[in-house]
Amino acid sequence: MSEPPAPAQILAVCTGNICRSPAVERLLAARLAGTDVQVSSAGTRAVVGHAVSAPMIPLVAAAGAETDGFAARQLTADLIREADLVIALTRTHRSEIVELVPGAVRRTFTLLELARLVAHVDPQALHDAGATPGARVRALPALAAGVRHVAGSGPTDVADPIGGSDAVYRASYDELAPAVDTLASALLH
């Protein structure tokens, strides 16, 4: 009997790995729970070992995701190489990822860019690309790149809320949460 394929790996990346990328990690992991996808996160200048920033916790929790047990970690070339899909929170993060691992350029997107592209990917093509969410994660970078010409442009960066008020955190969360939902829905259906 052959072993099932290893779970697909999604890596979310922001700066400190305490606000935006852990929110993406935990929201996406909650939506994809029980599938063959693992979601993690890291920071380009991580506050290593720290928990999720306090104002982000209730926002993530209200969406049904847990922040318990989270510890920020530094982005490494190995983490990038192991990921099937890398989700950056800004264009700057995307550049830093590709600088570390140039070969990751074709599977690295900003979250908002990816959500915009996913909205133009033929759902049947994504479904046909794989029978499981993990197989679809592996197929998504090529399918998303293939619709760039029709997706147009739009916002690419999720604002960094660090040090801001609860309203600033809410605004940042409100930028990333719908994009996470778009991605999760596409992978699950």
Side-chain angles (χ1 to χ4, degrees), residues 103-189:
V105 68
R106 286 187 177 81
R107 55 190 163 83
T108 304
F109 302 83
T110 71
L111 176 64
L112 299 183
E113 170 194 33
L114 184 60
R116 190 169 53 253
L117 293 171
V118 163
H120 291 276
V121 169
D122 177 5
Q124 189 61 50
L126 186 56
H127 191 269
D128 291 348
T132 67
R136 291 179 205 130
V137 164
R138 291 183 179 99
L140 186 58
L143 290 170
V147 297
R148 250 186 234 285
H149 64 289
V150 293
S153 60
T156 55
D157 295 359
V158 173
D160 187 352
I162 197 72
S165 66
D166 286 352
V168 171
Y169 272 84
R170 166 55 77 182
S172 179
Y173 177 86
D174 287 347
E175 289 178 356
L176 66 84
V180 169
D181 286 343
T182 296
L183 178 58
S185 294
L187 293 172
L188 289 169
H189 298 102

Side-chain angles (χ1 to χ4, degrees), residues 9-13 80 83-88 97 104 107-110:
Q9 302 292 324
I10 298 176
L11 177 66
V13 178
I80 298 166
D84 296 291
L85 177 63
V86 185
I87 300 173
I97 291 160
R107 55 190 163 83
T108 304
F109 302 83
T110 71

Side-chain angles (χ1 to χ4, degrees), residues 15-152:
T15 306
N17 193 214
I18 56 172
C19 302
R20 295 168 290 175
S21 58
V24 171
E25 171 192 328
R26 294 303 174 98
L27 292 170
L28 197 51
R31 289 288 306 274
L32 299 174
T35 70
D36 59 340
V37 178
Q38 290 180 343
V39 187
S40 63
S41 63
T44 58
R45 286 178 291 292
V47 189
V48 175
H50 280 251
V52 176
S53 189
M56 190 60 83
I57 293 171
L59 300 171
V60 173
E66 292 289 326
T67 56
D68 295 350
F70 181 84
R73 65 183 180 161
Q74 181 63 38
L75 180 67
T76 65
D78 283 345
L79 290 174
I80 298 166
R81 278 192 280 275
E82 291 164 8
D84 296 291
L85 177 63
V86 185
I87 300 173
L89 274 294
T90 69
R91 285 175 308 221
T92 301
H93 298 134
R94 185 179 189 280
S95 295
E96 291 178 71
I97 291 160
V98 172
E99 201 172 291
L100 266 176
V101 181
V105 68
R106 286 187 177 81
R107 55 190 163 83
T108 304
F109 302 83
T110 71
L111 176 64
L112 299 183
E113 170 194 33
L114 184 60
R116 190 169 53 253
L117 293 171
V118 163
H120 291 276
V121 169
D122 177 5
Q124 189 61 50
L126 186 56
H127 191 269
D128 291 348
T132 67
R136 291 179 205 130
V137 164
R138 291 183 179 99
L140 186 58
L143 290 170
V147 297
R148 250 186 234 285
H149 64 289
V150 293

